[in-house]
């Protein structure tokens, strides 16, 4: 058996705890159906840990750093997605509606299980070559993450097709939403 060296005041139990966490990750990787979360994020975080970096940025495009905004609420990457094929567009307007308020969008997104946030938008942007062409005529808001800009306005991430690419931007939540827009959720 290899000898375990203990550094400073760190107890042997801490090393066993870390080893247990690694064993659980291995168990999940080997289970039928594979790792149930975002495998690319896991690989990225493991590489950072190997390099001794333990504070990965929450977002690739972090508006708190980029523009001084404040993160109000965030669903993280739950539910996790690993393929665009897992997703479906969701109509969130009732018959005859052309417009709804941002507050109503928040309610409907939760009710429809279509409350994806900023991390989901970033994941889609990285995988935009897999997004169906049929989605290009719509505007995709992500109300699961709410940002407060410097003027006190609430904003949500959104993806929009323009000039041959998907672009990540931010919509004023309180300006409301129009009927050409769709939410995303996991396919049933």
């Amino acid at each position: 058996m290899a000898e375990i060296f203990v550094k400073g005041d760190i107890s042997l139990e801490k090393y066993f705890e870390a080893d247990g966490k690694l064993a659980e990750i291995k168990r999940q990787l080997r289970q039928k159906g594979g790792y149930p979360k975002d495998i690319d994020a896991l690989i990225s975080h493991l590489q950072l840990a190997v390099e001794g970096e333990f504070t990965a940025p929450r977002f690739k495009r972090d508006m708190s750093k980029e523009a001084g905004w404040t993160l109000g609420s965030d669903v993280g990457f739950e539910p996790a997605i690993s393929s665009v094929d897992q997703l479906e567009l969701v109509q969130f307007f009732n018959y005859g509606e052309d417009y709804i308020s941002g507050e109503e969008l928040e309610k409907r997104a939760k009710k429809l299980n279509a409350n994806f946030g900023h991390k989901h938008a970033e994941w889609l942007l990285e995988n935009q070559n897999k997004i169906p062409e049929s989605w290009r005529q719509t505007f995709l808001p992500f109300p699961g993450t709410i940002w407060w800009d410097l003027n006190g306005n609430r904003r949500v991430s959104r993806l929009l097709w323009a000039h041959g690419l998907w672009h990540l931007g931010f919509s004023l939540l309180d300006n409301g939403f129009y009927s050409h827009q769709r939410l995303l959720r996991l396919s049933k």
Side-chain angles (χ1 to χ4, degrees):
M1 185 169 140
E3 187 175 340
I4 297 176
F5 294 94
V6 179
K7 182 178 179 182
D9 293 316
I10 300 173
S11 68
L12 197 54
E13 288 80 26
K14 285 289 185 190
Y15 285 98
F16 285 125
E17 182 181 352
D19 186 60
K21 301 278 185 204
L22 291 171
E24 175 58 19
I25 290 170
K26 287 179 185 178
R27 184 198 67 75
Q28 289 185 18
L29 287 169
R30 293 177 181 147
Q31 71 187 353
K32 185 176 180 178
Y35 186 69
K37 305 289 184 187
D38 181 359
I39 189 70
D40 292 324
L42 173 65
I43 292 167
S44 176
H45 285 284
L46 288 173
Q47 183 60 42
L48 287 169
V50 167
E51 296 170 7
E53 298 290 328
F54 298 103
T55 55
R58 176 180 271 190
F59 304 115
K60 290 184 172 87
R61 187 163 181 204
D62 186 341
M63 297 310 292
S64 61
K65 293 178 181 161
E66 186 176 320
W69 295 0
T70 302
L71 182 63
S73 61
D74 180 44
V75 296
F77 199 62
E78 294 296 329
I81 51 176
S82 57
S83 168
V84 174
D85 296 334
Q86 293 176 276
L87 303 174
E88 65 181 355
L89 292 175
V90 178
Q91 168 60 267
F92 56 94
F93 286 85
N94 295 325
Y95 180 76
E97 285 182 323
D98 290 339
Y99 167 88
I100 63 170
S101 70
E103 188 174 299
E104 186 61 28
L105 172 70
E106 289 180 277
K107 290 177 191 173
R108 291 183 188 183
K110 289 174 185 170
K111 184 178 179 182
L112 294 165
N113 293 319
N115 197 36
F116 286 153
H118 189 85
K119 292 286 284 184
H120 297 97
E122 288 183 334
W123 186 90
L124 280 164
L125 193 64
E126 289 177 10
N127 293 279
Q128 64 177 283
N129 61 324
K130 297 173 183 164
I131 298 175
E133 282 186 38
S134 60
W135 294 12
R136 292 178 181 172
Q137 67 269 7
T138 191
F139 176 102
L140 302 170
F142 294 83
T145 303
I146 307 293
W147 293 97
W148 289 90
D149 69 20
L150 295 176
N151 296 318
N153 298 309
R154 297 184 314 146
R155 294 182 175 264
V156 294
S157 307
R158 59 112 173 108
L159 290 178
L160 175 68
W161 176 262
H163 309 291
L165 293 171
W166 286 95
H167 299 272
L168 176 65
F170 300 89
S171 295
L172 287 168
L173 184 62
D174 297 323
N175 276 0
F177 294 83
Y178 293 90
S179 60
H180 68 283
Q181 301 170 16
R182 299 290 181 271
L183 294 171
L184 291 171
R185 71 175 169 205
L186 293 178
S187 303
K188 294 181 179 178

